[in-house]
């Protein structure tokens, strides 16, 4: 990486990140770095234009703020880095002021000493048959996961899961999670799915509490086309994208998902950041006699 000359600062719209953003802008300008600053919920067009013209995007907030920014900037290859104002902060490498030394790693970042990593995202769309044709009802991008699950009624739903045109399983379950490697530490891990190195171009499919038709969590190539179809008229099925956007999936509707490699770019200072953060955030625990390295 070359030294950074222009950084876009995005901050969660709350007092502490906003105040820190103003301080960081002065700190960066004093070191010759041009900056622009927006709230993370700014309108899409100025956000994308500023990101495209920047060397990096620095996101101040929790993991949700960073994931939301990544979705809104989909297709723009400017890399992201995070300063953690959340509870877990798995994706954010810089500590917030008061939580640790941020000046040393941020100096290293603007000097171009962090590495750039490309990660897979998921492209999804909802299809409905109208006569002989299929109509697209909605589409988008997921950074962590796409979840098809029961709605407000806490009962199992019937789903058909097809992979590359092959009917793989007919399930009666609470739902199905399709996640990226980067999102494997979220809902997928809670549902018993595998922790997956984020450098892998894989889609991870995990059934949620299957009553019938279950299977172990499944890793698929990015190129695989996954289809989930609602199979009972009286089921209330909802689609959730990165924990948001609860969209109904009616009887006969098809959710289609495929992987898109190298779409999300992040800046990291440590090549072992993922393994180290699994341990430091308590997702992986060590037994007696563990030594620190």
């Amino acid at each position: 990486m070359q030294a950074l000359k222009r950084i876009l600062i995005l901050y969660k719209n709350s007092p502490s990140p906003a105040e820190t953003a103003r301080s960081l802008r002065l700190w960066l300008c004093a070191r010759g770095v041009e900056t622009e600053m927006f709230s993370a919920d700014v309108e899409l067009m100025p956000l994308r234009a500023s990101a495209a013209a920047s060397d990096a995007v620095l996101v101040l907030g929790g993991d949700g703020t960073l994931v939301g920014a990544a979705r809104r900037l989909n297709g723009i290859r400017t890399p992201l880095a995070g300063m953690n104002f959340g509870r877990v902060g798995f994706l954010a490498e810089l500590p917030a002021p008061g939580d640790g030394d941020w000046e040393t790693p941020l100096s290293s970042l603007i000097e171009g000493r962090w590495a750039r990593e490309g990660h897979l995202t998921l492209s999804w769309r909802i299809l409905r048959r109208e006569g002989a044709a299929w109509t697209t009802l909605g589409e988008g991008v997921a950074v962590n996961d796409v979840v098809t699950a029961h709605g407000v009624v806490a009962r199992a739903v019937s789903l058909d899961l097809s992979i590359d045109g092959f009917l793989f399983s007919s399930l009666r379950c609470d739902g199905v999670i399709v996640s990226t490697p980067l999102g494997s530490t979220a809902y997928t891990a809670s549902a018993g799915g595998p922790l997956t190195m984020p450098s892998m171009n894989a889609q991870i499919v995990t059934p949620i509490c299957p009553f019938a038709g279950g299977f172990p969590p499944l890793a698929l190539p990015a190129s695989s086309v996954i289809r989930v179809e609602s199979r009972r008229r009286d089921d209330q099925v909802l689609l959730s994208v990165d924990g948001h956007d609860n969209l109904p999936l009616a009887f006969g509707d098809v959710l289609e998902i495929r992987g898109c490699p190298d779409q999300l770019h992040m800046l990291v200072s440590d090549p072992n950041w993922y393994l180290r953060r699994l341990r430091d955030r308590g997702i992986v625990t060590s037994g007696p006699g563990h030594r620190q390295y």
Side-chain angles (χ1 to χ4, degrees), residues 9 31 47 54 76 83 89 118 121 129 133 155 166 194 209 246 273:
I9 302 172
R31 286 154 181 81
L47 169 64
S54 299
I76 295 175
M83 177 175 278
T121 61
R129 186 183 292 277
R155 65 181 184 186
F166 175 74
C209 300
N246 289 326
W273 72 269

Side-chain angles (χ1 to χ4, degrees), residues 51-282:
S54 299
D55 298 321
V57 179
L58 180 58
V59 183
L60 280 57
D63 285 343
T65 306
L66 197 149
V67 167
R71 277 207 313 274
R72 300 187 77 201
L73 295 173
N74 180 59
I76 295 175
R77 298 176 66 84
T78 304
L80 280 66
M83 177 175 278
N84 181 35
F85 285 83
R87 287 171 293 181
V88 178
F90 190 85
L91 299 177
E93 185 152 356
L94 291 163
D99 292 338
D101 173 24
W102 58 268
E103 292 195 36
T104 301
L106 187 55
S107 295
S108 176
L109 171 65
I110 64 176
E111 289 165 7
R113 288 189 277 160
W114 287 30
R116 181 183 184 124
E117 290 187 350
H119 300 290
L120 174 141
T121 61
L122 300 174
S123 172
W124 63 269
R125 59 178 181 163
I126 299 175
L127 302 171
R128 178 173 294 173
R129 186 183 292 277
E130 295 184 353
W134 289 93
T135 298
T136 300
L137 300 182
E139 58 188 336
V141 171
V143 173
N144 276 344
D145 51 39
V146 176
V147 180
T148 313
H150 60 66
V152 294
V153 179
R155 65 181 184 186
V157 293
S158 294
L159 303 170
D160 279 354
L161 174 70
S162 298
I163 301 167
D164 294 329
F166 175 74
L167 178 58
F168 180 71
S169 182
S170 295
L171 299 117
R172 189 72 179 159
C173 59
D174 280 359
V176 172
I177 308 167
V178 181
S179 82
T180 64
L182 199 64
S184 67
T185 57
Y187 197 178
T188 288
S190 299
L195 299 173
T196 309
M197 290 295 289
S199 58
M200 297 179 67
N201 284 325
Q203 305 177 80
I204 300 98
V205 185
T206 305
I208 308 170
C209 300
F211 172 74
F215 54 88
L218 182 66
L220 296 171
S223 59
S224 290
V225 179
I226 301 166
R227 285 192 162 200
V228 181
E229 182 174 357
S230 175
R231 298 304 300 159
R232 283 173 61 105
R233 291 187 182 275
D234 58 347
D235 281 347
Q236 185 180 32
V237 184
L238 293 178
L239 164 67
S240 173
V241 180
D242 290 336
H244 299 283
D245 306 324
N246 289 326
L247 304 173
L249 200 68
F251 170 71
D253 286 354
V254 173
L255 169 64
E256 184 179 272
I257 306 165
R258 66 186 72 207
C260 302
D262 202 37
Q263 290 299 298
L264 167 60
H265 290 252
M266 295 179 61
L267 292 171
V268 297
S269 66
D270 177 5
N272 292 318
W273 72 269
Y274 181 78
L275 298 175
R276 192 179 305 279
R277 226 162 285 171
L278 287 175
R279 189 191 63 199
D280 292 347
R281 300 301 192 269

Side-chain angles (χ1 to χ4, degrees), residues 14-38:
S14 58
S16 186
E19 181 181 349
T20 300
R22 290 188 287 269
S23 298
L24 282 180
R25 190 173 196 183
L26 295 174
W27 188 91
L28 289 166
C29 288
R31 286 154 181 81
V33 180
E34 182 184 348
T35 61
E36 192 163 11
M37 189 174 74
F38 289 130

